[in-house]
Amino acid sequence: MRIFKPQYSKLLDEELMVMLGKGDKRAFDEVYKRYSQPLFGYFMKLLARDNEKCEDMVHDLFAKIIRKPEYFDTSRSFRTWVYSVASNMCKNEYKRMAVRKNVKSDLEPAEFLKSHEDTLKTVHEKRFSDRLQAQLEEMDEKHKSVFVLRHFDGFSMKEIAEALEINEGTVKSRLFYATKTLASALKEFNPIYQ
Amino acid sequence: MEEKYIELLAKTDYDALTVDEKEMLKELCTNQSEFEEARQLMKELSALDSEPDLFDSRKVKKRLDEEFAEVYASRGGGWINFLFPPLKPIMNRPGIQLAMVLVLFIGSYLVLELMDFNNTKTVQLAKNENKLLIEDEEEAIDSEIDENSMLDEKKMGDKGRENNVLKTELILTPKVDIPIDPQETIVVIDDLISEEFIEGGRIHEDFIALEFEASRSDFTAAKDNATETIKFLIPTVQESPDLLDGLFVTF
């Protein structure tokens, strides 16, 4: 039994999961604080930016963690594990929805202009982001997830391989393919072509 | 190593790449224009990294908190979670380990208890058996002694002194030079012993030894008074058959 409460912010994800498994609410709060936003971003990129759907996905993922913390193998990295769960959830969602195209919950143009009317740079970023999202949606799931994990969630090749349960060579191959495809599709943003 | 491609795309011009670096990037870009496209994509992506998605975290959190309270309230108190933490493998849970130790302890205690009980029982049985044997032996010895002493008393009473003298005389006969057939004398001795067997059953060893000692001393005395004995032994059995009366000797 601990006499003093641990500093949750300094604990490792895996330690927090052990405490969460014992019913420590503060450990859960810390895990949620660390991962809710990145996971939401991950779902947003993979699920056509359906805000409501992505919120539900985040909720479902954390509900799984609450109800079945024993599913997490403490010898593994929590980060890769939680993203592998998220990735599987996305696969299931794809299967359920069959084809998800153009379900974007884009902000209305007026709203967009209202909030981003300051600089041209912001407009450019917004345009690029939208186009990128559109291209990602057209891409198949296996290339998209590798690309998102690498460039949006900052995973290393090894972590991606672990999270998606594929070998590193495959990760590299998929990542290069996705990058090449997107780079080609988004070349309009390259100043050379403008 | 694979991570190096981002660095290469960000900083290097395609023409400045070495053969090895080009080899590494060949899957991504094989010429200047592809390299530029990829490079531009990386730039745009790094600019997008800081863009947060709009996420109403509190709404989701509230739902999750309710769920957490519901789940862990139903799982019981802190002690249950301490003894059976769900994240640990079954054999590593303190409750399971404690139960195993208890089972081991109780099991060992029962086994030891059973072994001790068996030992006590065996020892007790052996003791009882020994005691009975000793008692039987003692009883047998006592009865033998009683019988022998009774026989002895009876014999002594019946034959009196005469018989004793005769016995001594008969035993000593071959030693002294008497004019009788030695075989006949031996038969008499044998018969005397057989008589004792017939009358008294088995003779106790001590008793025989004592008798032998007595006979020996008699023999010594007889030898010392050889002349006297010879004189005394002059009447042989052949000459005076009436001497054998009352001796139960059969020929």
Side-chain angles (χ1 to χ4, degrees), chain A residues 17-18 20-22 25 29 32 37 40-41 49 59 67 69-70 124 128 150-151 157 173 175, chain B residues 3 5-6 27-28 40 42 44 49 53-55 57 59 61 64-65 67 72 75 81 86-87:
Chain A
M17 276 305 286
V18 172
L20 192 156
K22 291 177 185 171
K25 176 69 170 52
D29 293 345
Y32 184 81
Q37 184 64 53
F40 179 76
R49 308 193 77 78
H59 171 268
R67 291 187 183 277
E70 64 269 24
H124 171 81
F128 176 78
R150 178 67 195 92
H151 291 290
M157 298 276 198
S173 177
L175 181 64
Chain B
E3 310 295 326
Y5 81 99
I6 296 171
E27 263 189 88
L28 182 63
Q40 185 60 28
M42 290 303 140
E44 297 286 352
D49 280 349
D53 289 297
L54 300 169
F55 175 47
S57 176
K59 193 173 84 182
K61 183 72 167 55
L64 287 169
D65 285 347
E67 213 156 324
Y72 286 94
R75 282 194 187 178
N81 284 327
L87 273 183

Side-chain angles (χ1 to χ4, degrees), chain B residues 60-178:
Chain B
V60 176
K61 183 72 167 55
K62 197 181 167 189
R63 281 159 65 193
L64 287 169
D65 285 347
E66 285 166 10
E67 213 156 324
F68 189 93
E70 181 193 319
V71 169
Y72 286 94
S74 65
R75 282 194 187 178
W79 281 106
I80 298 293
N81 284 327
F82 172 73
L83 290 172
F84 304 100
L87 273 183
K88 284 194 175 179
I90 288 174
M91 297 309 281
N92 289 351
R93 293 176 186 180
I96 300 290
Q97 288 175 342
L98 199 68
M100 281 163 68
V101 169
L102 275 173
V103 166
L104 195 70
F105 179 77
I106 293 167
S108 328
Y109 175 76
L110 287 175
V111 167
L112 287 172
E113 194 72 6
L114 199 68
M115 281 169 69
D116 193 38
F117 173 73
N118 282 341
N119 276 344
T120 317
K121 204 175 171 183
T122 315
V123 168
Q124 192 59 44
L125 279 170
K127 272 183 187 172
N128 290 344
E129 213 167 298
N130 237 2
K131 204 175 170 184
L132 282 171
L133 279 171
I134 289 165
E135 278 176 9
D136 286 350
E137 264 179 35
E138 278 174 358
E139 271 178 27
I141 289 165
D142 287 348
S143 63
E144 263 179 40
I145 290 168
D146 288 349
E147 275 177 26
N148 287 334
S149 56
M150 278 170 71
L151 272 170
D152 195 36
E153 277 170 20
K154 190 182 172 188
K155 201 162 69 178
M156 293 290 274
D158 286 353
K159 293 173 187 173
R161 202 178 206 177
E162 238 179 47
N163 284 344
N164 282 338
V165 172
L166 186 61
K167 200 191 285 174
T168 309
E169 171 200 347
L170 287 169
I171 292 163
L172 293 171
T173 305
K175 299 284 177 185
V176 292
D177 198 8
I178 50 167

Side-chain angles (χ1 to χ4, degrees), chain A residues 1-12:
Chain A
M1 294 289 283
R2 288 173 198 266
I3 297 170
F4 301 105
K5 286 281 176 189
Q7 281 187 293
Y8 290 86
S9 59
K10 288 183 181 173
L11 292 174
L12 296 172

Side-chain angles (χ1 to χ4, degrees), chain A:
Chain A
M1 294 289 283
R2 288 173 198 266
I3 297 170
F4 301 105
K5 286 281 176 189
Q7 281 187 293
Y8 290 86
S9 59
K10 288 183 181 173
L11 292 174
L12 296 172
D13 298 337
E14 292 75 24
E15 291 172 328
L16 288 170
M17 276 305 286
V18 172
M19 294 166 79
L20 192 156
K22 291 177 185 171
D24 191 328
K25 176 69 170 52
R26 288 185 64 189
F28 172 71
D29 293 345
E30 185 63 30
V31 171
Y32 184 81
K33 188 177 152 191
R34 287 183 194 180
Y35 285 97
S36 60
Q37 184 64 53
L39 285 168
F40 179 76
Y42 179 76
F43 285 127
M44 284 289 276
K45 286 170 190 79
L46 266 72
L47 297 176
R49 308 193 77 78
D50 184 341
N51 207 306
E52 208 170 306
K53 169 62 75 185
C54 292
E55 279 182 8
D56 286 345
M57 295 289 268
V58 171
H59 171 268
D60 291 349
L61 200 158
F62 279 97
K64 277 181 189 171
I65 291 173
I66 291 169
R67 291 187 183 277
K68 299 281 176 191
E70 64 269 24
Y71 282 178
F72 169 59
D73 175 6
T74 44
S75 63
R76 282 184 69 183
S77 153
F78 176 73
R79 187 166 176 246
T80 55
W81 176 76
V82 81
Y83 273 91
S84 72
V85 175
S87 172
N88 288 332
M89 287 172 75
C90 286
K91 281 180 194 170
N92 294 338
E93 186 63 21
Y94 284 134
K95 282 177 194 168
R96 251 198 308 269
M97 307 287 288
V99 179
R100 292 176 57 87
K101 276 189 177 179
N102 303 318
V103 199
K104 286 190 278 183
S105 59
D106 281 358
L107 298 168
E108 291 299 313
E111 201 179 342
F112 164 73
L113 288 173
K114 190 182 163 188
S115 55
H116 298 285
E117 61 194 357
D118 296 341
T119 60
L120 281 172
K121 185 180 173 287
T122 320
V123 173
H124 171 81
E125 277 178 11
K126 178 63 190 165
R127 277 186 60 225
F128 176 78
S129 174
D130 292 346
R131 287 282 291 123
L132 176 66
Q133 187 61 44
Q135 288 302 317
L136 282 173
E137 281 166 30
E138 283 176 17
M139 199 182 282
D140 61 294
E141 188 269 333
K142 60 184 183 182
H143 290 101
K144 184 163 52 178
S145 57
V146 171
F147 186 85
V148 169
L149 284 171
R150 178 67 195 92
H151 291 290
F152 295 101
D153 296 302
F155 276 52
S156 68
M157 298 276 198
K158 196 180 173 185
E159 285 175 325
I160 296 169
E162 205 177 310
L164 301 180
E165 292 164 354
I166 51 177
N167 65 53
E168 282 187 57
T170 311
V171 173
K172 184 189 169 188
S173 177
R174 286 183 188 178
L175 181 64
F176 280 4
Y177 176 84
T179 308
K180 197 174 177 176
T181 309
L182 287 171
S184 173
L186 300 171
K187 65 183 178 187
E188 62 191 87
F189 292 93
N190 192 330
I192 298 169
Y193 300 102
Q194 284 176 348

Side-chain angles (χ1 to χ4, degrees), chain B residues 166-167 169-174 180-196 198 237-238 244 247-251:
Chain B
L166 186 61
K167 200 191 285 174
E169 171 200 347
L170 287 169
I171 292 163
L172 293 171
T173 305
I180 57 160
D181 189 357
Q183 205 164 2
E184 190 181 331
T185 316
I186 290 162
V187 169
V188 171
I189 293 162
D190 287 346
D191 285 343
L192 274 171
I193 293 164
S194 347
E195 182 191 354
E196 281 186 88
I198 292 158
V237 177
Q238 281 171 327
L244 295 172
L247 283 177
F248 305 104
V249 175
T250 51
F251 293 95

